[in-house]
Amino acid sequence: MARLARKICAITGAASGIGRAAAVLFAKERARVIAVDVDAAGLESLDAEGGEIATRRLDVLDRDAVQAFAQQNGPVDVLFNCAGKVSTGSVLDCSLDDWRSSLDLNVTAIFYLTQALVPGMVAKGGGSIVNMASVISSLGAAPDRFAYGATKAAVIGMTKSVARDFAGEGIRCNAICPSAVDTPSMRARIDVMEDPEAAYELFSKRQPVGRMARPEEIAEMALYLASDASAFVTGSAMVIDGGTWA
Ligand SMILES: NC(=O)c1ccc[n+]([C@@H]2O[C@H](COP(=O)([O-])OP(=O)(O)OC[C@H]3O[C@@H](n4cnc5c(N)ncnc54)[C@H](O)[C@@H]3O)[C@@H](O)[C@H]2O)c1
C-alpha cells in the first residue's frame, strides 16, 4: 500500500542530499512530488529517478517568487522545508554575512514557504509540514556551529508555533533533528579540511553507531511525518542521531 498515494508534496532543497532522497522516496510511495531547488542541473537529473516528480527552479529566499509558486501550484498536502546551509565557526568567527545568510535560508525561507502554503492547506482541510532542523539546535551544541545552531533552534521554535496554531485546522508540523548525514554538502565540507580522511572518521565516530546517517534514512523519517501514519504526531522535534544524544 503506497504511503503517500495522491498526496501533493512540495520539497525544497530537492536537488541534493536529504531533499533529493526524500523526493525519490516520496515518488516511490506514489506522491505527486514538486521538487524545488535553485540548482537547475541537479533538478534535471531527478528526471531519471522515475515516479511523478515535477521540478521547479525556485529560490526560496525570494518571497515574491515563493508567493507566485504557491499561486501557480495550488494547495499542497505536504511541505518539506529541507533547504538549508551550514556556517562554521564560533560567535567570534561569525561574520554578519554568515549570520544573515544562515538566518535567511534556514529560518526566513521556512517562514516564506509556510506563510504561502498554509492557507491552501487550511482550505483543503489539512496537511503536514516537515521542517529540517538538527540535533545542533535548542537540543544541544557542537563545536563551531554558532550561526547554524541558533538558526536550527529557531526552526524548532517555528515548528512548535505552527503546530500549536493550526492543529485545529488539521495541519501538523514537525521537525527532524539529525546528527551527521553523509550528503554531498557534508563531503564538500570534509574535503576542504586539513586531513579529510581523519575528519571523515571523526564525523563518523561522533555517532555511537560508528557512522553517519545515509540521506535515505532521514528521508524515511520525513516520509513517516508526511504520511497519515503520523496523524497523532505534531509539534515534535524528532531526533535521528545514531545514539549521539543517548
Ligand atoms: N548533512 C548533514 O549532516 C545534516 C545534518 C543535520 C541537518 N541537516 C540539514 O538538512 C538539510 C539538507 O542538508 P543536505 O546535507 O542534504 O544539504 P545539501 O547541500 O546536499 O542540499 C541542500 C540543497 O538546498 C538547495 N538550496 C540552497 N539554497 C537554496 C535556495 N535559496 N533555494 C532553493 N534551494 C536552495 C541546494 O541547491 C541543495 O540542492 C539542511 O537544512 C541541513 O541543515 C543536514
Side-chain angles (χ1 to χ4, degrees):
M1 173 85 176
R3 288 178 284 177
L4 292 177
R6 290 182 299 279
K7 286 194 195 291
I8 301 171
C9 303
I11 303 175
T12 72
S16 172
I18 299 165
R20 185 185 185 93
V24 172
L25 179 63
F26 284 21
K28 273 195 188 128
E29 294 294 337
R30 306 262 304 280
R32 290 169 55 198
V33 175
I34 307 170
V36 167
D37 208 292
V38 277
D39 174 2
L43 285 177
E44 206 174 304
S45 68
L46 263 175
D47 287 340
E49 299 281 3
E52 204 173 329
I53 305 179
T55 55
R56 297 278 182 279
R57 199 192 166 280
L58 171 69
D59 182 349
V60 294
L61 302 174
D62 181 340
R63 191 181 196 183
D64 292 339
V66 168
Q67 285 292 347
F69 168 80
Q71 271 153 27
Q72 284 156 15
N73 285 284
V76 302
D77 300 288
V78 173
L79 167 62
F80 181 17
N81 286 305
C82 190
K85 64 169 275 183
V86 177
S87 293
T88 56
S90 75
V91 62
L92 300 184
D93 309 311
C94 186
S95 69
L96 195 52
D97 270 0
D98 279 346
W99 177 252
R100 286 191 172 142
S101 63
S102 298
L103 268 180
D104 285 348
L105 185 56
N106 294 354
V107 181
T108 309
I110 294 183
F111 157 61
Y112 292 162
L113 265 302
T114 306
Q115 194 175 58
L117 292 175
V118 159
M121 288 183 176
V122 170
K124 240 186 174 183
S128 173
I129 301 169
V130 182
N131 291 330
M132 183 50 77
S134 170
V135 285
I136 303 168
S137 57
S138 51
L139 303 178
D144 290 323
R145 291 289 183 276
F146 171 71
Y148 184 71
T151 56
K152 293 300 187 182
V155 173
I156 294 176
M158 289 192 292
T159 299
K160 288 182 182 291
S161 173
V162 171
R164 175 65 73 165
D165 286 341
F166 293 95
E169 314 269 7
I171 298 172
R172 299 182 296 107
C173 186
N174 294 286
I176 301 180
C177 304
S179 58
V181 188
D182 195 353
T183 63
S185 69
M186 169 63 85
R187 290 286 178 141
R189 283 196 296 285
I190 287 175
D191 284 348
V192 297
M193 288 177 176
E194 215 171 276
D195 183 347
E197 221 167 286
Y200 186 87
E201 194 75 359
L202 179 77
F203 276 104
S204 299
K205 291 213 166 119
R206 273 190 189 158
Q207 283 74 217
V209 298
R211 65 173 176 87
M212 293 190 243
R214 292 187 292 277
E216 293 76 16
E217 292 171 316
I218 311 301
E220 284 288 348
M221 182 169 272
L223 167 62
Y224 168 69
L225 292 172
S227 76
D228 296 338
S230 59
F232 200 61
V233 183
T234 194
S236 289
M238 310 281 280
V239 171
I240 172 163
D241 70 349
T244 310
W245 252 242

